[in-house]
Amino acid sequence: MLTSGLQHVAAMYAGVVAPPLIVGAAVGLSGTELTFLTGASLFTAGLATFLQTLGVWKIGAKLPFVNGVTFAGVAPMLAIVDTTDDKTDALPIIFGAIIVAGVLGFLAAPFFSRLVRFFPPVVTGTVITLIGVSLLPVAFGWAQGPNPRAEDYGSTTYLTLAGITLVVVLLLRRFTRGFLKQVAVLVGLVIGTLIAIPFGVTDFSPVTEADIVGFPTPFHFGAPQFALAAIISMCVVMLVSMTESTADMLALGEIVERPADEKTIAAGLRADTLGSALSPLFNGFMCSAFAQNIGLVAMTRIRSRFVVACGGGFLVLMGLSPIAASLISVVPRPVLGGAGVVLFGSVAASGIQTLVKAGLEKDNNVLIVAVSLAVGIIPITAPEFYHAFPETAKIILDSGISTGCVAAVLLNIVFNHLGRGQDDDEVTAPMEPGEDISGSATAKAAHVH
């Protein structure tokens, strides 16, 4: 049980610590404060995993689910940081928005479980793809160095370290098996850090300054603040998170041969949302199910929820040991960038896998994906696109995940729920120049199979 639980932690550790590292760096936290934020995320992930696996009352799916910080919230949180004048207020505003979104999500859980039809694979796949694409620029920024204003930012030394780390992770994934293959990202971070020591870019001060035992002080970064635009943005993220968790519960239910019914889904969503609402009390972020651990359950065939609860215990213990949490702070940013390319790219690839099941042989679904992706990548490809809008509106608009999700849901309703009957048109091949656009027999016959 201990080794299997530890394997679950190893498989999701990099995913848990990446969001606090991204947001903490954007806020400008010191190494010590970054260690505290990382430990808080580990601690709250463990608590959320307990809620999901062991369950209390009607809370918790009681399936072998690992919960942790969701990637879906990173881009909106960065947008909140960018639009906050005083960066010391950014985390309290984020925490306040997460609390409200968590409470509203908890109340909506039993109703949301009945609205899954509005979040088919064409919507969830688009959103998950946008999550990965939105995070990739963060990895590229890490690969260039810790300080964008430094003269050596983007130097060949930093890019080489990022490239070496990426190659190490790829080699481990290609030529190893079992446990070592699952923890390839973690091993890659270790090897990359060791290689970086001779270059003088590894800072061990966070470890030397960290205590062996500590507790995530409630509201360490200040009392939560409640800003309407931030709340709306995080509520959209909560909908995305609940959709993803619902899909994960359905998949995991099939794997463990205990199909997730409406009651199980509602209980699981209550655990997700309650964990998210409580997380900011201990300086943590929004929690959701980790899909990579579902793959681990399928691979190992160890289906016991108590094994995963044991993994949650490890997370809590790591969160209560600042020196353990500080280890990730030692990893140089370029090394994190190299691993981040795999980590965040895998999220985008997961979304593409979902889109494969979305029925893209239908014109309507192609339009939904095309327009939603276009709307979602505006903040990435044209950062100044919404410069004329009010600052409060930019918090939402500058998050491609939020705008892309809203676009996908609305377009899905318009094309696949209103006036149904015309949604069975298959995608046609691109027409040749000069071909009749009125729907000639030639054009109609050119179907893509």
Side-chain angles (χ1 to χ4, degrees):
M1 181 179 286
L2 291 176
T3 54
S4 297
L6 188 59
Q7 183 170 241
H8 274 285
V9 173
M12 54 88 76
Y13 181 82
V16 172
V17 300
L21 284 175
I22 298 170
V23 177
V27 174
L29 297 183
S30 64
T32 304
E33 294 291 350
L34 204 56
T35 294
F36 181 91
L37 193 65
T38 304
S41 293
L42 292 168
F43 178 75
T44 53
L47 296 182
T49 300
F50 282 151
L51 271 179
Q52 195 67 268
T53 54
L54 302 180
V56 179
W57 183 57
K58 295 182 179 180
I59 302 169
K62 296 182 180 179
L63 290 170
F65 247 162
V66 174
N67 274 44
V69 184
T70 175
F71 275 112
V74 175
M77 289 190 289
L78 291 179
I80 293 172
V81 173
D82 289 340
T83 54
T84 303
D85 295 329
D86 187 353
K87 300 305 179 187
T88 58
D89 290 334
L91 285 175
I93 290 173
I94 289 172
F95 291 150
I98 292 174
I99 290 173
V100 174
V103 171
L104 293 178
F106 182 84
L107 297 175
F111 307 101
F112 185 87
S113 60
R114 305 170 191 169
L115 300 177
V116 180
R117 65 193 184 97
F118 293 110
F119 294 88
V122 69
V123 174
T124 56
T126 300
V127 174
I128 296 171
T129 302
L130 281 173
I131 291 172
V133 171
S134 298
L135 291 176
L136 279 172
V138 175
F140 301 149
W142 281 350
Q144 297 179 77
N147 186 2
R149 291 177 292 276
E151 291 184 3
D152 62 349
Y153 186 72
S155 67
T156 54
T157 299
Y158 288 147
L159 296 181
T160 300
L161 287 173
I164 290 173
T165 305
L166 174 59
V167 170
V168 168
V169 173
L170 292 176
L171 290 175
L172 288 171
R173 290 290 298 178
R174 174 62 183 86
F175 295 107
T176 61
R177 295 181 179 180
F179 180 75
L180 187 58
K181 185 175 182 177
Q182 288 296 322
V183 297
V185 172
L186 200 58
V187 175
L189 291 175
V190 173
I191 295 176
T193 301
L194 294 175
I195 294 174
I197 292 176
F199 293 91
V201 296
T202 305
D203 181 15
F204 289 96
S205 59
V207 176
T208 59
E209 296 171 2
D211 297 325
I212 298 177
V213 179
F215 185 79
T217 311
F219 301 130
H220 176 80
F221 297 98
Q225 300 179 27
F226 303 96
L228 181 60
I231 290 172
I232 294 174
S233 181
M234 296 314 294
C235 282
V236 172
V237 174
M238 179 58 75
L239 289 176
V240 174
S241 176
M242 292 170 74
T243 303
E244 189 176 354
S245 288
T246 299
D248 289 341
M249 277 184 269
L250 292 171
L252 185 60
E254 294 297 324
I255 291 172
V256 301
E257 298 180 356
R258 204 194 99 188
D261 55 16
E262 188 176 302
K263 182 179 178 181
T264 301
I265 292 174
L269 293 178
R270 287 192 188 98
D272 268 5
T273 53
L274 180 60
S276 296
L278 295 177
S279 187
L281 302 180
F282 301 102
N283 313 283
F285 299 118
M286 188 176 292
C287 295
S288 179
F290 267 50
Q292 58 263 46
N293 291 84
I294 297 176
L296 189 58
V297 171
M299 184 188 73
T300 62
R301 298 185 179 181
I302 299 175
R303 305 172 179 180
S304 170
R305 61 190 173 104
F306 299 104
V307 166
V308 176
C310 182
F314 279 117
L315 290 171
V316 170
L317 291 176
M318 293 171 70
L320 294 175
S321 178
I323 195 169
S326 69
L327 292 175
I328 194 65
S329 301
V330 173
V331 181
R333 289 289 167 79
V335 174
L336 280 173
V341 170
V342 176
L343 191 63
F344 304 151
S346 296
V347 176
S350 176
I352 295 172
Q353 287 178 327
T354 304
L355 285 175
V356 170
K357 309 171 186 175
L360 294 185
E361 73 279 0
K362 298 181 184 300
D363 277 326
N364 288 351
N365 287 345
V366 171
L367 286 173
I368 293 169
V369 175
V371 175
S372 300
L373 286 177
V375 171
I377 65 174
I378 286 175
I380 303 172
T381 57
E384 300 299 320
F385 190 83
Y386 299 112
H387 75 277
F389 284 75
E391 290 297 317
T392 51
K394 285 166 66 177
I395 292 178
I396 301 171
L397 296 174
D398 282 343
S399 167
I401 296 170
S402 298
T403 54
C405 176
V406 172
V409 171
L410 293 179
L411 289 173
N412 178 61
I413 291 174
V414 170
F415 281 98
N416 291 332
H417 291 276
L418 299 179
R420 299 186 67 174
Q422 299 179 353
D423 60 347
D424 55 351
D425 298 330
E426 292 188 10
V427 176
T428 54
M431 292 180 292
E432 295 296 328
E435 189 175 0
D436 182 14
I437 63 172
S438 62
S440 65
T442 302
K444 288 290 184 181
H447 293 308
V448 174
H449 295 289

